[in-house]
Amino acid sequence: PGITSSSPTTFAPLGNRLYFTASNGTNGREIWVTDGTNAGTQLVADLRAGTTSSDITSFRELNGALFFALTTPETGREIWKLQPAASATTWTGAANTDWANAANWSNGVPTQDSQVTIPAAVPRFPVINGQVNVRQLTIASGASVQVATGANLQVSGN
């Protein structure tokens, strides 16, 4: 992040984003996230306020959350958990019945971090032909989701 090198390290993919540590010269070394674009790269948290860098190591993904070790002079080394906010997307059925077609969704094809809504008032309902994992699924009364033979739908959130 920024014009000069931020020396990014400690990379961890989570959903459709990449988390990493970097220094922007203002906040010290902290956790950042990117979707691969300049506009989609942002500071997640300034865990040690100001220019003091956080000592962050050992990113690990588990069940849609990012765990890492953080060391501070006040508390020593502790395990922290980062639970990204779920993105919401609604089925429109505008193109066809293919779950994996972005043209059928209001906010892109759902990922493991998505809150998914299938409303009743759409021209067609989704068919899942592969492996799908979402955080939350709401199916309106009168709506349906078809899971094809050999396919799998897993709802893993709370």
Side-chain angles (χ1 to χ4, degrees):
I3 298 172
T4 60
S5 175
S6 57
S7 302
T9 60
T10 319
F11 301 94
L14 183 61
N16 60 356
R17 298 181 179 270
L18 181 68
Y19 289 80
F20 60 97
T21 62
S23 176
N24 64 358
T26 302
N27 302 100
R29 179 164 297 281
E30 299 294 345
I31 299 175
W32 290 76
V33 63
T34 186
D35 63 3
T37 67
N38 284 339
T41 302
Q42 59 191 8
L43 178 68
V44 172
D46 189 1
L47 300 173
R48 299 211 48 214
T51 57
T52 303
S53 292
S54 295
D55 182 5
I56 301 166
T57 58
S58 305
F59 279 147
R60 297 290 184 266
E61 184 276 332
L62 179 64
N63 296 327
L66 188 64
F67 292 83
F68 58 93
L70 173 67
T71 304
T72 67
E74 298 81 21
T75 60
R77 183 169 298 277
E78 296 180 318
I79 295 176
W80 286 53
K81 177 183 177 183
L82 173 68
Q83 183 74 52
S87 62
T89 190
T90 301
W91 174 262
T92 64
N96 52 37
T97 62
D98 184 5
W99 177 283
N101 183 342
N104 288 317
W105 294 99
S106 66
N107 191 24
V109 177
T111 68
Q112 68 183 11
D113 297 323
S114 297
Q115 294 176 336
V116 177
T117 301
I118 311 296
V122 293
R124 55 194 69 85
F125 296 112
V127 176
I128 296 172
N129 290 302
Q131 304 300 311
V132 171
N133 185 5
V134 298
R135 181 174 292 175
Q136 183 178 17
L137 176 63
T138 303
I139 303 173
S141 177
S144 67
V145 174
Q146 179 182 345
V147 180
T149 303
N152 184 41
L153 169 61
Q154 181 176 354
V155 181
S156 59
N158 42 15

